[in-house]
Amino acid sequence: MEFGLSEDQRLIEQSLRGHLADAVDLDLIRRLAADKGGFDADLWAGLCELGLPGLLVAEAHGGTGLGMLEAAVAAEALGYSAAPTPFVGACVMAPLAVSLAGGEEQRRHWLPAIAAGEVRLAVGAGALAGATGTAELSLSGAHLSGRLTGLLDGGGASHALVYLADGRAAIVALDADGVALSARPSLDRTRPLADLDLDDAEAVLLDGADDAPAVARRVLDAGRLMLAADTLGAGQCMIDQAVDYAGQRVQFERVIASYQAVKHMCAEMVANLEPCRSLVWYAAHVQDLDDEAERRVLACLAKAHLAEVGREVARTATEVHGGMGFTDLMGLHFWFKRISYDRQVLGGPERCRQDAARAQGWLAA
Amino acid sequence: MDLTYSTKHQELQAEIRAFIEAEGHRSPKFGGGRNRPDQQALDWQGLLLERGYFARTVPTEYGGHGAEPDVLETAIIADEFSRAGISPGLLDVGNLIVVPSLLDLGSEAQCARWVRPTLTGETIWCIGNSEPGSGSDMANAQTKAVAVGDDFVINGQKIWTSGAHYADMMFLLCRTEAEAPKHKGLSYLLVPMDTDGIEVRPLVTMTERPEFNETFLTDVRVPMDQIVMGRGDGWKVAIASLKHERVMLGDPNKQLQRLHGIREMMRETVIDGVAVMDLPEYRDRLLRLQAEVLAAKFHNMRLLTLHDRGEEPGIPGLIQKLYGTTLNHKLSALAIDVLGEAGLPYEPHEFGENDPATAWQIDYMYDIGLIIGGGTSQIQKNIISERGLGMPREPKAVVPPARS
Ligand SMILES: Cc1cc2nc3c(=O)[nH]c(=O)nc-3n(C[C@H](O)[C@H](O)[C@H](O)COP(=O)(O)OP(=O)(O)OC[C@H]3O[C@@H](n4cnc5c(N)ncnc54)[C@H](O)[C@@H]3O)c2cc1C
């Protein structure tokens, strides 16, 4: 048995982390947060060079054909640096959807462009995820009408991949007639949500899936797992910042890190977060296996559990910083809000646990 | 235990219900307190004072209603206003911290001068306790006030001063006795914010709003009689005023209102055709919180009774801030979860009444701020265990050097 990242996976992790450490600092996060667009061409170009959009795309279609574990490692790294960039939708859900549900011709058309970072897809899966927003799309022939709120990765997107309530997926070009995508600044300023209004818009329906709802669930689960991994990274970064701050701040003539209360807050955070890393790794590992129930259960539980642990870590790390933690100045809140966002999109923890229960037959479907 | 309503109480209840029926529409939205009250809030405050539903036990010569303390009366008023979703009046730091502190410890002249305008909302206060180097260790305040002629001359810096950008007065902790030991050298001064030498720089919080400030004091002159108690009595004043602050931060009536707000939201929010209220996993959380909020409410009545009897509340009093602020955070956490994805759009600068997403996200963050502000949860736990449970203080450790 070997439960851990392979040599290659660690190299991928190191090169991405190294790149992000150089490319993303608090100034960039602040600038992009103020801009609220969720996309930076330079940052995106750098991530394309590292092959992020093509990570899950088969080599035959211009990608690197890697798996969900590599994607999870990348998501964790992005969360750690609070990178203001599309990923979960554009680099994971979309290529997976096209790979698994697209016909031969469609895959040949879309995947190379996705892998090259030229086609960037916003993704709307609200109809499947138990979202509280609006998901009212209707299909007539090859044309879509209606409204879908809460799309991921709308910033800098060229197209949108949307899910119908029956699990079929369609792609619309954002510059086509009858298509209007409007970004709504979200709590996480670096990742806006987008609302899509369609009026008899031309759509490409993915036509290669035997069982479209099953593929849709798989794509949704992949997205959920990426959000879990993102929270893992963001939470780890908040802990690191808290430990660092506690080592510098003096109150009552003592470094606050020397108070047992502060030490225990920090110890509790890592004690809760470290097992999450193993959970995310295993959940990612099974996503590439052929066991639908196992895939679903692990992705949903990982999303739900990381949301709970992430919330505690976000609050506790803020508390360790005292009043400074509550200021904008400190910048800690960018990670705090990232964790909130990860929790609230694609179904909150309650919903994810319900899905896990259904997948295990503990609850009527 | 006697909770039966005497005729007097029944009459009061009927009177308030009639009042709410007739005048309730004039109430400003409940909550707020992070801005200067607008005209509607001031008018409402005037009406409540006139009827004696605010400052009920404050002596009439200071602008109150002069009633004898009566827990049941207090509870009836709070209950009726809370149930109707109507503002119980200005719950700002002036009314919740400064007024009770002045009534306890201030001179007659100070009460006569400051209490009435604070009750009416004409005078808004801010609290100048924290400094960059002294948050939890508040007694380490370094802002200095030196006696010069009939004045104190103040120099120093405060931080995290909530509301300093719109306040008229500051309740200022400073060091007047340079030679005295840490806790013995402090005093509280009442400082008009328009005095020369005060500069307020807004400090943006994680909500993106400039909710607190850095306040710089340079050669600020204040008449000597604007000291609360005597020179070097500041720590006594601090203990008394912090007690009031901690009560404010755990107000159970506000929690009841928030609980009702969440209940309504759970009825209105629908996921896949099912109201959130009909999903047992959410409903159970609401019910747990209802129990916690009710416990807080009755706990508060118990504390009011102890106070009226002149008994020291002990542990029941010490736990209030920790319990209340933690509970507040749990309430807003549930609200955020109910809102789900639709709770993410965030417009903190121009959010209106129809934007529960932004309002609850702000609360969710601000509630953490209040877990920290006014003495952090860890400091509260130290106080509860050491003062309440009589456990020994942490030994003075050899100071590990700070990493530079
Ligand atoms: C929203 C908000 C509003 C505020 N409004 C005001 C205001 O109006 N006026 C004002 O004067 N101040 C205000 N403050 C400041 C507030 O009172 C301080 O932030 C608070 O007392 C904590 O001090 P600090 O920020 O210096 O944190 P620190 O004291 O540096 O604490 C950092 C961490 O160390 C821990 N710690 C420190 N000492 C100990 C110890 N002995 N044992 C165990 N743990 C310890 C703390 O619990 C915390 O987790 C406000 C703060 C906030 C967040």
Side-chain angles (χ1 to χ4, degrees), chain A residues 249 251 319-320 323, chain B residues 127 129-130 135-136 160 162 369 374 376 378 382:
Chain A
R249 171 76 172 164
Q251 284 290 279
E319 283 188 60
V320 169
Chain B
I127 304 289
N129 287 337
S130 306
S136 295
W160 304 307
S162 305
T376 68
Q378 292 69 45
N382 286 349

Side-chain angles (χ1 to χ4, degrees), chain B residues 189-207:
Chain B
L189 302 178
L190 308 175
V191 182
M193 291 300 283
D194 60 3
T195 315
D196 284 347
I198 298 183
E199 190 200 343
V200 176
R201 288 188 207 155
L203 201 52
V204 175
T205 74
M206 69 189 288
T207 70

Side-chain angles (χ1 to χ4, degrees), chain A:
Chain A
M1 194 196 86
E2 193 181 81
F3 192 100
L5 299 181
S6 69
E7 192 56 39
D8 284 349
Q9 286 159 345
R10 270 184 293 180
L11 280 175
I12 291 172
E13 179 174 39
Q14 277 165 21
S15 68
L16 181 56
R17 288 201 176 220
H19 174 73
L20 289 170
D22 291 338
V24 181
D25 59 10
L26 201 51
D27 287 342
L28 179 81
I29 295 174
R30 269 189 205 289
R31 182 162 62 71
L32 294 179
D35 171 61
K36 301 188 184 80
F39 184 76
D40 179 66
D42 290 343
L43 182 59
W44 180 253
L47 295 175
C48 288
E49 245 164 70
L50 287 168
L52 226 55
L55 200 75
L56 296 173
V57 173
E59 283 174 282
H61 295 300
T64 42
L66 294 169
M68 287 294 286
L69 186 48
E70 285 82 359
V73 164
E76 186 190 341
L78 292 167
Y80 190 90
S81 57
T85 180
F87 180 72
V88 176
C91 302
V92 175
M93 295 174 79
L96 206 60
V98 176
S99 300
L100 297 174
E104 175 80 40
E105 187 52 42
Q106 290 175 331
R107 280 180 305 200
R108 213 171 321 150
H109 175 76
W110 293 102
L111 289 175
I114 292 176
E118 290 152 10
V119 162
R120 290 184 297 272
L121 288 137
V123 174
L128 308 173
T132 44
T134 309
E136 287 159 0
L137 293 183
S138 62
L139 185 71
S140 149
H143 288 78
L144 273 173
S145 294
R147 181 171 175 75
L148 185 64
T149 60
L151 277 79
L152 308 180
D153 292 353
S158 60
H159 295 71
L161 175 89
V162 297
Y163 274 96
L164 302 171
D166 63 11
R168 284 182 297 170
I171 296 176
V172 294
L174 295 180
D175 58 5
D177 285 343
V179 180
L181 185 87
S182 50
R184 288 192 71 179
S186 90
L187 176 71
D188 178 352
R189 289 337 204 175
T190 66
R191 292 182 298 171
L193 290 170
D195 296 344
L196 183 65
D197 285 292
L198 300 175
D199 180 11
D200 205 27
E202 202 175 321
V204 177
L205 213 58
L206 297 184
D207 60 9
D210 295 333
D211 184 353
V215 174
R217 283 195 295 274
R218 186 164 183 173
V219 170
L220 174 63
D221 290 346
R224 285 179 170 170
L225 180 61
M226 290 306 117
L227 292 163
D230 190 89
T231 292
L232 172 64
Q236 184 63 54
C237 185
M238 289 191 84
I239 297 174
D240 291 352
Q241 293 186 61
V243 171
D244 191 53
Y245 184 81
Q248 299 177 34
R249 171 76 172 164
V250 175
Q251 284 290 279
F252 306 97
E253 289 113 50
R254 273 171 66 173
V255 176
I256 60 167
S258 72
Y259 291 113
Q260 201 164 54
V262 173
K263 280 196 279 235
H264 284 192
M265 283 199 278
C266 295
E268 217 169 286
M269 287 193 282
V270 286
N272 287 324
L273 197 70
E274 270 309 320
C276 290
R277 183 161 289 112
S278 316
L279 180 67
V280 165
W281 284 353
Y282 179 74
H285 171 72
V286 299
Q287 295 309 306
D288 292 326
L289 304 182
D290 219 13
D291 182 343
E292 179 175 0
E294 185 80 347
R295 282 200 309 256
R296 178 119 259 237
V297 171
L298 266 297
C300 291
L301 289 184
K303 166 82 157 72
H305 186 54
L306 264 296
E308 308 292 21
V309 173
R311 170 176 274 178
E312 286 302 300
V313 167
R315 179 177 53 74
T316 309
T318 305
E319 283 188 60
V320 169
H321 283 77
M324 279 313 289
F326 192 62
T327 60
D328 171 59
L329 200 69
M330 193 77 214
L332 188 73
H333 64 94
F334 289 114
W335 283 264
F336 182 101
K337 291 166 181 170
R338 193 165 178 110
I339 289 171
S340 285
Y341 174 102
D342 289 345
R343 179 186 181 102
Q344 286 176 247
V345 297
L346 298 186
E350 281 79 10
R351 170 61 178 230
C352 289
R353 282 190 288 261
Q354 294 293 309
D355 286 349
R358 274 192 201 95
Q360 297 174 88
W362 297 359
L363 194 74

Side-chain angles (χ1 to χ4, degrees), chain A residues 245-246 249-252 254-263 265 316-327, chain B residues 34 93 97 125-138 158-164 170-171 173 188 205 211-213 242 245-246 248-249 321 365-382 386 393-394:
Chain A
Y245 184 81
R249 171 76 172 164
V250 175
Q251 284 290 279
F252 306 97
R254 273 171 66 173
V255 176
I256 60 167
S258 72
Y259 291 113
Q260 201 164 54
V262 173
K263 280 196 279 235
M265 283 199 278
T316 309
T318 305
E319 283 188 60
V320 169
H321 283 77
M324 279 313 289
F326 192 62
T327 60
Chain B
R34 284 174 222 153
V93 296
I97 302 174
W125 292 78
C126 62
I127 304 289
N129 287 337
S130 306
E131 297 181 9
S134 60
S136 295
D137 187 9
M138 197 175 120
K158 295 290 164 179
I159 193 173
W160 304 307
T161 336
S162 305
M170 181 184 272
F171 196 64
L173 174 68
Y188 267 91
T205 74
E211 277 147 337
F212 48 30
N213 304 274
L242 281 177
E245 173 162 16
R246 285 162 190 173
M248 162 179 100
L249 293 174
K321 200 251 165 183
M365 292 183 273
Y366 212 87
D367 287 341
I368 296 180
L370 296 181
I371 284 175
I372 297 165
T376 68
S377 284
Q378 292 69 45
I379 296 298
Q380 300 305 314
K381 289 176 190 172
N382 286 349
E386 291 168 8
R393 301 180 65 105
E394 272 190 61

Side-chain angles (χ1 to χ4, degrees), chain B residues 28-105:
Chain B
K29 205 171 135 37
F30 184 72
R34 284 174 222 153
N35 288 309
R36 215 184 154 92
D38 58 14
Q39 194 54 47
Q40 188 189 10
L42 292 174
D43 291 346
W44 181 246
Q45 181 74 0
L47 196 58
L48 297 185
L49 283 168
E50 191 186 302
R51 302 292 175 102
Y53 302 152
F54 193 90
R56 193 168 178 82
T57 57
V58 172
T60 44
E61 68 264 36
Y62 301 146
H65 194 63
E68 283 299 310
D70 179 328
V71 179
L72 218 44
E73 280 194 4
T74 314
I76 289 169
I77 296 171
D79 243 30
E80 294 299 328
F81 279 77
S82 166
R83 202 182 313 237
I86 276 176
S87 164
L90 294 177
L91 303 181
D92 56 7
V93 296
N95 277 294
L96 293 170
I97 302 174
V98 179
V99 165
S101 301
L102 286 182
L103 290 173
D104 284 354
L105 307 171

Side-chain angles (χ1 to χ4, degrees), chain B residues 61-325:
Chain B
E61 68 264 36
Y62 301 146
H65 194 63
E68 283 299 310
D70 179 328
V71 179
L72 218 44
E73 280 194 4
T74 314
I76 289 169
I77 296 171
D79 243 30
E80 294 299 328
F81 279 77
S82 166
R83 202 182 313 237
I86 276 176
S87 164
L90 294 177
L91 303 181
D92 56 7
V93 296
N95 277 294
L96 293 170
I97 302 174
V98 179
V99 165
S101 301
L102 286 182
L103 290 173
D104 284 354
L105 307 171
S107 68
E108 239 180 83
Q110 286 166 350
C111 290
R113 178 157 176 207
W114 304 116
V115 172
R116 185 188 302 269
T118 306
L119 296 183
T120 60
E122 186 188 322
T123 299
I124 301 296
W125 292 78
C126 62
I127 304 289
N129 287 337
S130 306
E131 297 181 9
S134 60
S136 295
D137 187 9
M138 197 175 120
N140 193 35
Q142 298 300 322
T143 293
K144 288 195 175 40
V146 180
V148 179
D150 291 338
D151 292 338
F152 282 113
V153 178
I154 310 162
N155 281 284
Q157 185 200 339
K158 295 290 164 179
I159 193 173
W160 304 307
T161 336
S162 305
H165 49 305
Y166 57 78
D168 307 296
M169 293 289 297
M170 181 184 272
F171 196 64
L172 172 83
L173 174 68
C174 57
R175 191 161 293 283
T176 50
E177 318 307 304
E179 306 302 319
K182 187 170 168 181
H183 291 82
K184 299 259 164 67
L186 300 167
S187 300
Y188 267 91
L189 302 178
L190 308 175
V191 182
M193 291 300 283
D194 60 3
T195 315
D196 284 347
I198 298 183
E199 190 200 343
V200 176
R201 288 188 207 155
L203 201 52
V204 175
T205 74
M206 69 189 288
T207 70
E208 287 183 20
R209 287 143 46 103
E211 277 147 337
F212 48 30
N213 304 274
E214 294 176 287
T215 310
F216 297 86
L217 302 111
T218 313
D219 294 331
V220 173
R221 292 184 90 97
V222 168
M224 283 215 145
D225 62 0
Q226 285 178 211
I227 188 170
V228 183
M229 298 184 76
R231 291 179 62 152
D233 286 336
W235 193 242
K236 281 181 220 155
V237 180
I239 302 264
S241 70
L242 281 177
K243 208 171 66 191
H244 295 301
E245 173 162 16
R246 285 162 190 173
V247 170
M248 162 179 100
L249 293 174
D251 179 9
N253 296 303
K254 187 163 172 214
Q255 288 162 347
L256 266 176
Q257 291 232 357
R258 297 175 97 194
L259 189 82
H260 294 163
I262 297 170
R263 183 193 63 201
E264 290 315 306
M265 215 158 66
M266 286 174 62
R267 287 179 172 154
E268 286 157 17
T269 308
V270 173
I271 298 178
D272 287 347
V274 183
V276 171
M277 186 59 98
D278 291 330
L279 297 170
E281 60 276 19
Y282 288 94
R283 193 175 53 228
D284 187 56
R285 278 175 69 187
L286 184 69
L287 286 161
R288 285 177 193 225
L289 290 174
Q290 187 177 31
E292 287 192 50
V293 170
L294 288 176
K297 176 182 156 174
F298 298 125
H299 184 74
N300 195 48
M301 286 170 72
R302 176 177 161 209
L303 285 173
L304 286 170
T305 303
L306 289 173
H307 182 264
D308 288 355
R309 288 182 189 157
E311 288 175 32
E312 269 303 313
I315 291 175
L318 296 179
I319 57 95
Q320 243 192 332
K321 200 251 165 183
L322 178 66
Y323 184 89
T325 52

